[in-house]
Amino acid sequence: MDFKTVHIAFTLNGQPRALDIPGAASALQVIRDVIGLTGTKEGCGIGECGACTIEVDGKAVNSCLLLGAQLDGAEVLTVEGLAPEGGLHPLQAAFLNRHGVQCGFCTPGLLMSTHALLRENPHPDHGEVSKAIAGNLCRCTGYQQIFASIAEAVGRGGGEGEA
Ligand code: FES
Ligand code: FES
């Protein structure tokens, strides 16, 4: 038995996947380097920035802190699985509309953290959004446009004072 390789089978963006991975690989490395889905970003690599956020069984997690082996049997969603091909998820459309994207490095993580929140709470208030994205750092926007984008996506308008 090869202890260095682990076989995992899971669902990724609605598609079944089965593959052999290095046993020490993080979920982030599996998604980006083994599978080649590079929408999920690596910022800090130590659980501080949220750029690597994915959904595992509906919960937002930092994929840099998860072993790839822990994906076995899970339902995994990355930013590539948010929208139908060629379209935009309403959150993505709102981020575009409200200028919630500047360099874009934080955006996939923010989208996934917000998406996971909306699964449980489709109409979060500002405080609930703030708590959900507290682990997602953005160096560009100052967050105002991000809150406005999410507010628009959840039907709170996203105008001044509504973010
Ligand atoms: S890369 Fe995972 S939290 Fe920063
Ligand atoms: S848009 Fe650049 S880090 Fe957020």
Side-chain angles (χ1 to χ4, degrees):
M1 187 171 176
D2 182 357
F3 289 99
K4 293 180 182 166
T5 300
V6 177
H7 184 78
I8 59 173
F10 63 110
T11 304
L12 178 61
N13 299 332
Q15 301 295 320
R17 303 292 297 242
L19 64 164
D20 294 323
I21 61 166
S26 69
L28 176 62
Q29 290 169 326
V30 170
I31 288 164
R32 284 183 58 88
D33 304 334
V34 179
I35 297 175
L37 289 183
T38 55
T40 305
K41 303 304 181 198
E42 178 165 14
C44 64
I46 55 170
E48 300 284 350
C49 74
C52 66
T53 306
I54 61 172
E55 276 182 26
V56 178
D57 294 331
K59 305 285 185 198
V61 299
N62 289 331
S63 61
C64 69
L65 296 183
L66 200 67
L67 278 174
Q70 292 175 280
L71 298 179
D72 189 44
E75 189 91 31
V76 178
L77 185 70
T78 69
V79 70
E80 288 89 349
L82 271 188
E85 202 168 323
L88 288 178
H89 185 279
L91 270 174
Q92 293 170 313
F95 268 68
L96 276 182
N97 193 36
R98 288 287 175 174
H99 308 289
V101 181
Q102 288 189 22
C103 82
F105 197 81
C106 68
T107 310
L110 277 160
L111 290 169
M112 300 315 294
S113 291
T114 308
H115 188 263
L117 168 67
L118 298 184
R119 280 182 188 273
E120 295 182 354
N121 179 2
H123 300 290
D125 62 24
H126 179 90
E128 290 165 333
V129 171
S130 183
K131 191 174 170 194
I133 66 170
N136 294 89
L137 303 186
C138 175
R139 291 184 169 185
C140 305
T141 65
Y143 297 97
Q144 202 60 33
Q145 299 97 313
I146 289 169
F147 280 109
S149 302
I150 297 170
E152 177 174 298
V154 302
R156 283 193 283 111
E160 286 301 313
E162 293 182 87

